[in-house]
Amino acid sequence: MAELKKVGVLTSGGDAPGMNAAIRAAVRSCIFYGIEPVAIREGYKGLIDNDLEVMNARSVANIINQGGTFLKSARCAEFRTPEGRAKAFANAKAAGLDGLVVIGGDGSFTGAMLIEKEHGLPCVGVPGTIDNDIFGTDFTIGYDTALNTVVEAIDKIRDTATSHNRLFLVEVMGRDAGFIALNTGIAAGAEQILIPEEQKSVNELMDDIANSGRAGKTSSIVVVSEGDKSGGVFELASKIEDSFPDYDVKVTVLGHTQRGGKPSCSDRVLASRLGVAAVEALREGDSGVMVGVRNQQVVQTPLEEAISKHNAIDKALLKVAEIVTV
Ligand code: ADP
């Protein structure tokens, strides 16, 4: 196994709270093991534009508690092309990088897998996304913080909902996965939860709302995942208003507030564990893998598998949601 001398670290794709903590952990474990860490700005764009900077342990001071990513993230269309990746590799080679830690989502991992296959640059992925939809880890970095942000927002919405006879539709992030909607819906006591994995018809939702009213509830909160296919929160709101004229129907789209904020303790610890694990994997000659945590243990999953498979939601939680809202 060739000695690892220099490792590049980048954040790519959608940002997530805790990415800074992952960068810090990767940089500091490089220092710990006598490897020179090199920060790459704006994801793959920085590799193509040669926007690199050698880091030291102090370069990542005071960032563990900051949301976002100080290296910035970017979407880079050029990296999707073989020519773009060749340019990126040429810069990586000229800088003497022996490996790359890629903190991002499945798009970023696809890019990592391709540059490794085409040019032999060892890459290790670290899952950073609020959606928690990456196969090979029980939790992604940013998910726990996003859950807490959403629950805090819904608690506030509940105050105004109960002060009037209001029905709130709260749209949360999750284009393909309902993890955020399902878990925050339970935690914030939502009357209904709409997720892409369990498509409810509008009629079923109407029945549920009618039952809620019969059970004595005068206000309701419906958490709707972005990926729900009922036509979107605004269309749903107008259908509900037509059927339930007594309800004052309001819509709140939480949007990008869910991406920001100080990372939670869980996210900081997860990011620290995975940042260290990524550098250790490269040291041990493991690459083309993503590091994750399963059943409390750090594990590796081939990038190919992490990209092609998906974590399923826990169906038992749907039952719990139904029971606790009678
Ligand atoms: P995420 O990593 O959060 O899923 P994206 O899907 O936007 O975010 O991917 C981030 C970046 O990864 C893209 O801008 C692009 O540079 C690179 N990437 C994504 N998909 C591919 C692909 N199929 N081939 C090569 N690079 C890709």
Side-chain angles (χ1 to χ4, degrees), residues 95-207:
L97 301 187
D98 309 307
L100 213 53
V101 173
V102 174
I103 304 162
D106 52 6
S108 305
F109 296 163
T110 307
M113 192 180 71
L114 289 173
I115 198 170
E116 175 156 4
K117 276 191 178 155
E118 291 166 356
H119 302 283
L121 179 66
C123 291
V124 172
V126 175
T129 164
I130 65 164
D131 291 339
N132 205 41
D133 57 349
I134 294 186
F135 183 82
T137 189
D138 291 340
F139 304 105
T140 56
I141 297 165
Y143 172 60
D144 183 67
T145 306
L147 291 181
N148 289 316
T149 301
V150 171
V151 167
E152 203 180 319
I154 300 179
D155 284 349
K156 288 178 178 157
I157 290 167
R158 166 100 39 211
D159 289 344
T160 170
T162 50
S163 301
H164 303 264
N165 287 345
R166 279 186 175 149
L167 187 147
F168 265 92
L169 295 174
V170 183
E171 188 195 271
V172 300
M173 281 189 174
R175 247 171 293 158
D176 307 307
F179 291 102
I180 294 180
L182 183 54
N183 285 277
T184 61
I186 290 174
E191 277 67 29
Q192 277 87 38
I193 302 168
L194 303 184
I195 56 173
E197 293 90 340
E198 281 279 314
Q199 197 55 49
K200 219 176 222 186
S201 70
V202 175
N203 285 343
E204 280 175 283
L205 176 65
M206 299 290 186
D207 286 347

Side-chain angles (χ1 to χ4, degrees), residues 191-307:
E191 277 67 29
Q192 277 87 38
I193 302 168
L194 303 184
I195 56 173
E197 293 90 340
E198 281 279 314
Q199 197 55 49
K200 219 176 222 186
S201 70
V202 175
N203 285 343
E204 280 175 283
L205 176 65
M206 299 290 186
D207 286 347
D208 288 347
I209 293 170
N211 287 337
S212 239
R214 278 194 286 273
K217 297 190 181 187
T218 54
S219 64
S220 272
I221 289 181
V222 182
V223 176
V224 186
S225 187
E226 232 181 352
D228 175 71
K229 296 168 193 79
S230 314
V233 269
F234 292 100
E235 200 179 311
L236 263 181
S238 78
K239 284 181 185 160
I240 296 169
E241 246 165 1
D242 291 345
S243 302
F244 299 93
D246 289 350
Y247 270 125
D248 183 12
V249 183
K250 301 284 180 202
V251 172
T252 300
V253 176
L254 293 181
H256 284 78
T257 54
Q258 297 162 89
R259 286 260 184 98
K262 279 176 173 291
S264 67
C265 175
S266 290
D267 273 332
R268 295 181 201 190
V269 174
L270 178 66
S272 300
R273 289 178 84 182
L274 297 185
V276 168
V279 172
E280 288 181 343
L282 285 170
R283 274 189 92 228
E284 281 150 29
D286 296 331
S287 67
V289 294
M290 180 196 84
V291 288
V293 166
R294 265 187 171 163
N295 302 322
Q296 314 287 346
Q297 301 298 315
V298 173
V299 294
Q300 295 182 0
T301 303
L303 286 175
E304 207 150 4
E305 214 180 326
I307 294 158

Side-chain angles (χ1 to χ4, degrees), residues 13-29:
D15 61 302
M19 278 184 161
N20 277 327
I23 298 166
R24 171 180 177 270
V27 165
R28 291 204 170 153
S29 41

Side-chain angles (χ1 to χ4, degrees), residues 12-14 44 74-77 79-80 85 104-111 114 128:
S12 166
Y44 295 123
R75 297 211 147 90
C76 175
F79 196 78
R80 291 174 180 269
R85 291 191 292 275
D106 52 6
S108 305
F109 296 163
T110 307
L114 289 173

